[in-house]
Amino acid sequence: MLIDNHGRTINYLRLAVTDKCNLRCFYCMPEDGLNWLSRTELMSYEEMLRACTLLVNIGIQKIRITGGEPFVRKDIMQLLTAISKLDGLQELSLTTNGVLTAPYVAELKEIGIRSVNLSLDTLDAGRFFSITRRDEFGAVMTTLEELLKHNIEVKINAVVMDGKNTQDIIPLVELTKKLSVSVRFIEEMPFNGDGKIHQTKLSWDYIRILEEIKQTYPSIKKSRDPAYSTAYNYHIPGHTGNVGIIAAYSRTFCGTCNRIRITPQGTLKNCLYDDGVLNVRDLMRAGNNDDTIKDTLLNAFNNRVKDGWEAEKLVQNTGMHESMAAIGG
Ligand code: SAM
């Protein structure tokens, strides 16, 4: 088992396979996109598989594939299939915007993916367009239907944005009446990739989001949060699904943080709010053998910051203007 210098278990890797995305969610990246990574900057699938293999060997049990949008990277099913076969890996899951995902759902089920996070900030097609700058609401809803049809557990991730989609909170909660989905509201984080500093004070924090839900559903009850949960979990009596609230900006969950991240160009992040502690791709391309790379990784895990506030302080440019697509959500 991997334990960090603060006594926390590390067993969860989030691997971003590309920085590219087919949506332009305004809170994540500028309308013109980012300066996309070149092919040589991106880790190859071989490198990603090697990194995953080494990490599973030293204690990672769960891998989530994210991006950018995983399905815009060519032949993504090849990588998913290879990772799904790793000895010792207990769970493979992915986060997707659902635009291109529907045709792959049966295959995802076949390779053993039991849970998918689907990003969906509104149930209104017009607002979907104004948030994402793309007319793809129908495609995302088709993916939702396909996932449910194939009995894949669905967690819907909705970022709550002042003046943009707070009127969607209750309609999204209402999805849980009949559908076996978990709708999770995420505090907006200052990662929109436009180079400017945003949001000194968050107006929709986890407390206000819960208050908003309670106005319509005063009977909402707190559920037990599973180990390492980043969400506060709730259930409304009589509903099939569940509700969660993720204090991503308030950072109330760092004390149990079990996760590490690898960006598409191989940067290892010990914390969402740090700017990378080493580069796995470069370690591999420098010709290091597996043991050396494992030792270097273990050393990094032994030097993790206490929490996201400390990480943010250490980042020299505290503007935090990176795009979430370059980090992996
Ligand atoms: N393309 C995939 C998707 O849309 O699910 C995976 C990558 S996306 C960067 C992962 C998650 O990060 C999404 O649920 C998205 O809503 C969330 N995200 C992106 N920017 C964010 C921000 N500024 N604040 C909070 N969540 C954000």
Side-chain angles (χ1 to χ4, degrees):
M1 193 182 281
L2 256 184
I3 308 281
D4 76 6
N5 48 316
H6 299 281
R8 298 172 295 204
T9 303
I10 305 177
N11 54 13
Y12 177 20
L13 164 69
R14 296 177 64 101
L15 173 65
V17 293
T18 177
D19 57 335
K20 292 203 181 70
C21 191
N22 43 2
L23 296 181
R24 289 288 179 280
C25 303
F26 76 90
Y27 54 81
C28 187
M29 67 166 78
E31 190 157 12
D32 297 338
L34 304 170
N35 286 325
W36 308 121
L37 295 168
S38 67
R39 207 181 161 78
T40 49
E41 285 172 294
L42 278 178
M43 281 208 285
S44 68
Y45 283 166
E46 290 70 28
E47 288 166 338
M48 287 184 183
L49 188 60
R50 185 173 171 208
C52 289
T53 308
L54 296 178
L55 284 161
V56 170
N57 281 345
I58 59 177
I60 291 294
Q61 297 169 325
K62 172 177 172 182
I63 297 178
R64 174 175 298 282
I65 301 300
T66 175
E69 170 52 33
F71 288 94
V72 303
R73 184 142 180 190
K74 196 163 166 257
D75 299 327
I76 185 65
M77 286 308 303
Q78 273 178 21
L79 177 72
L80 289 172
T81 306
I83 294 178
S84 73
K85 293 181 179 150
L86 286 181
D87 241 2
L89 183 68
Q90 292 175 9
E91 188 180 338
L92 175 62
S93 57
L94 64 101
T95 300
T96 175
N97 62 29
V99 172
L100 299 172
T101 320
Y104 296 98
V105 170
E107 231 180 306
L108 294 176
K109 177 89 183 179
E110 255 167 54
I111 65 165
I113 290 189
R114 296 189 303 264
S115 163
V116 167
N117 286 7
L118 182 67
S119 300
L120 180 63
D121 303 321
T122 174
L123 292 174
D124 177 273
R127 272 197 297 283
F128 182 94
F129 182 80
S130 76
I131 292 168
T132 65
R133 301 154 169 150
R134 295 289 184 274
D135 190 11
E136 296 288 2
F137 178 69
V140 180
M141 293 309 281
T142 304
T143 291
L144 175 59
E145 281 165 27
E146 280 298 299
L147 289 166
L148 293 173
K149 206 164 84 190
H150 285 83
N151 286 321
I152 293 181
E153 185 193 337
V154 180
K155 291 182 184 153
I156 293 179
N157 285 344
V159 180
V160 177
M161 297 156 279
D162 194 30
K164 289 281 181 185
N165 70 340
T166 50
Q167 63 274 61
D168 289 293
I169 295 176
I170 297 303
L172 283 163
V173 166
E174 280 167 357
L175 275 184
T176 70
K177 259 186 193 162
K178 297 252 162 62
L179 299 183
S180 168
V181 294
S182 182
V183 174
R184 290 131 43 99
F185 297 100
I186 308 178
E187 289 179 351
E188 185 181 2
M189 293 178 272
F191 292 99
N192 72 354
D194 71 355
K196 295 190 192 112
I197 300 171
H198 293 262
Q199 193 180 289
T200 44
K201 191 175 174 306
L202 182 68
S203 54
W204 281 85
D205 64 4
Y206 66 105
I207 297 165
R208 186 167 177 199
I209 297 168
L210 181 61
E211 284 310 313
E212 174 74 10
I213 301 171
K214 276 187 177 164
Q215 299 267 326
T216 307
Y217 291 105
S219 63
I220 189 167
K221 292 230 157 32
K222 182 82 188 67
S223 323
R224 207 174 57 81
D225 297 326
Y228 314 118
S229 176
T230 51
Y232 294 117
N233 295 279
Y234 300 89
H235 182 73
I236 296 169
H239 283 210
T240 310
N242 295 297
V243 173
I245 304 178
I246 302 181
Y249 188 63
S250 303
R251 282 163 263 186
T252 54
F253 42 67
C254 301
T256 55
C257 178
N258 66 334
R259 59 190 61 195
I260 53 167
R261 296 176 149 79
I262 296 183
T263 70
Q265 69 271 48
T267 304
L268 173 76
K269 287 168 78 84
N270 264 334
C271 170
L272 176 62
Y273 286 85
D274 75 29
D275 63 354
V277 291
L278 58 83
N279 189 294
V280 199
R281 175 203 64 191
D282 293 348
L283 283 175
M284 293 182 198
R285 291 188 189 172
N288 289 294
N289 65 27
D290 287 356
D291 286 340
T292 308
I293 297 174
K294 278 193 224 174
D295 285 346
T296 312
L297 290 167
L298 289 170
N299 184 49
F301 302 147
N302 226 356
N303 285 289
R304 285 178 95 210
V305 289
K306 181 166 65 68
D307 56 32
W309 301 104
E310 189 179 321
E312 194 174 357
K313 250 186 257 152
L314 288 172
V315 174
Q316 292 197 327
N317 179 355
T318 48
M320 304 299 291
H321 55 252
E322 228 174 338
S323 164
M324 196 61 103
I327 304 174

